[in-house]
């Protein structure tokens, strides 16, 4: 699904309610090279998800015989507005320079600004320099998470086994007391207060 047009200065985005179609760069090397040349973007390498919108093609480039609008095999993009794009880039650069000049303080306050900038860089030292470094870090963290999950699962299993052993031991002691095979105060001395005060029927249900 296309999201936006790859032509320089074109802000067209995909919208199913607007009658604008998007077209992939051709797979044929010669035609693909010609499209790239016409787009006139520096160091531009289109991928399989790179599109041009129908605004950059003349009406004669389309085949309208089917249900969908398709490009003809020899269609090339010829409609571009490079002047507007260059002017907007220059205007943005000028505005950015003016903003930087107006925001640059002088004297001691400038020194404070530099110090705060360095502090920000130090506080954000966790940022990655390239995508590969970030990917390695993500893989490492995923392995650590998986290891912690295994440990947590083992701890829960141990806890359940220990709980079952406590319940069985409590049932045994209370059965002995009920059959007068051990003193009545045995459970009070051996079991925790929370367990010794519960009736035998409750432990049978748990068991």
């Amino acid at each position: 699904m296309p999201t936006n047009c790859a032509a320089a200065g074109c802000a067209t985005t995909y919208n199913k309610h607007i009658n604008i179609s998007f077209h992939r760069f051709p797979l044929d090397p010669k035609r693909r090279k010609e499209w790239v040349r016409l787009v006139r973007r520096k160091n531009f390498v289109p991928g399989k998800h790179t599109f041009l919108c129908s605004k950059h093609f003349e009406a004669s480039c389309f085949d309208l015989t089917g249900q969908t609008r398709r490009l003809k095999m020899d269609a090339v993009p010829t409609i571009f507005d490079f002047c507007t794009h260059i002017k907007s880039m220059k205007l943005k650069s000028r505005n950015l320079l003016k903003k930087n000049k107006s925001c640059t303080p002088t004297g001691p306050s400038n020194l404070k600004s530099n110090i705060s900038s360095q502090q920000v860089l130090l506080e954000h030292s966790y940022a990655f320099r390239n995508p590969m470094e970030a990917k390695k870090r993500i893989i490492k963290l995923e392995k650590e998470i998986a290891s912690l999950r295994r440990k947590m699962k083992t701890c829960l299993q141990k806890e359940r086994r220990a709980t079952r052993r406590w319940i069985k031991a409590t049932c045994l002691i209370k059965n002995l007391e009920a059959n007068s095979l051990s003193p009545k105060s045995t459970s009070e001395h051996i079991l925790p207060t929370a367990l010794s005060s519960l009736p035998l029927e409750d432990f049978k249900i748990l068991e």
Side-chain angles (χ1 to χ4, degrees):
M1 182 70 68
T3 55
N4 59 305
C5 180
C10 183
T12 305
T13 56
Y14 175 76
N15 189 335
K16 63 180 180 180
H17 302 295
I18 299 175
N19 189 26
I20 295 175
S21 56
F22 283 76
H23 307 276
R24 281 191 175 92
F25 278 66
L27 297 175
D28 178 69
K30 289 183 179 180
R31 289 186 62 216
R32 190 182 186 86
K33 187 176 180 180
E34 179 64 9
W35 279 38
V36 172
R37 186 186 67 81
L38 292 169
V39 168
R40 288 169 60 180
R41 283 180 58 181
K42 189 177 180 180
N43 300 325
F44 175 62
V45 180
K48 64 178 181 179
H49 298 298
T50 307
F51 298 83
L52 286 180
C53 71
S54 53
K55 288 182 179 180
H56 306 290
F57 298 88
E58 295 179 3
S60 59
C61 294
F62 295 99
D63 181 5
L64 304 176
T65 55
Q67 293 181 349
T68 58
R69 179 165 54 180
R70 294 176 298 174
L71 284 176
K72 295 179 180 179
M73 291 299 295
D74 59 343
V76 290
T78 54
I79 304 171
F80 297 96
D81 191 4
F82 296 115
C83 295
T84 303
H85 175 59
I86 292 168
K87 285 179 182 177
S88 65
M89 286 181 67
K90 286 182 178 178
L91 185 62
K92 285 180 181 178
S93 299
R94 287 173 186 170
N95 290 337
L96 185 62
L97 285 170
K98 287 179 182 178
K99 187 178 180 181
N100 288 338
K101 286 179 181 178
S102 62
C103 294
T104 303
T106 58
S109 58
N110 191 15
L111 180 61
K112 289 181 181 179
S113 177
N114 290 336
I115 292 170
S116 62
S117 299
Q118 290 175 2
Q119 288 175 346
V120 169
L121 288 172
L122 288 172
E123 290 172 0
H124 293 76
S125 59
Y126 54 80
F128 300 107
R129 295 180 181 178
N130 55 67
M132 287 303 297
E133 187 180 347
K135 186 176 180 181
K136 288 178 182 178
R137 180 61 177 163
I138 290 169
I139 292 170
K140 185 181 178 182
L141 289 172
E142 286 177 346
K143 288 180 179 178
E144 289 178 1
I145 291 169
S147 176
L148 289 171
R149 283 177 177 168
R150 287 193 295 269
K151 289 179 181 178
M152 185 174 68
K153 185 178 178 181
T154 303
C155 290
L156 290 172
Q157 289 173 347
K158 288 180 179 178
E159 183 184 2
R160 283 195 290 268
R161 286 196 292 267
T163 303
R164 284 196 294 267
R165 284 197 292 268
W166 266 108
I167 292 171
K168 287 181 179 178
T170 304
C171 286
L172 176 61
I173 294 169
K174 287 190 174 286
N175 272 320
L176 291 173
E177 287 180 347
N179 295 323
S180 301
L181 297 174
S182 68
K184 293 290 184 181
S185 60
T186 304
S187 60
E188 294 178 3
H189 294 293
I190 296 175
L191 301 174
T193 306
L195 293 176
S196 61
S197 61
L198 292 174
L200 179 62
E201 289 75 16
D202 292 347
F203 285 98
K204 286 181 178 179
I205 293 169
L206 290 171
E207 189 179 20

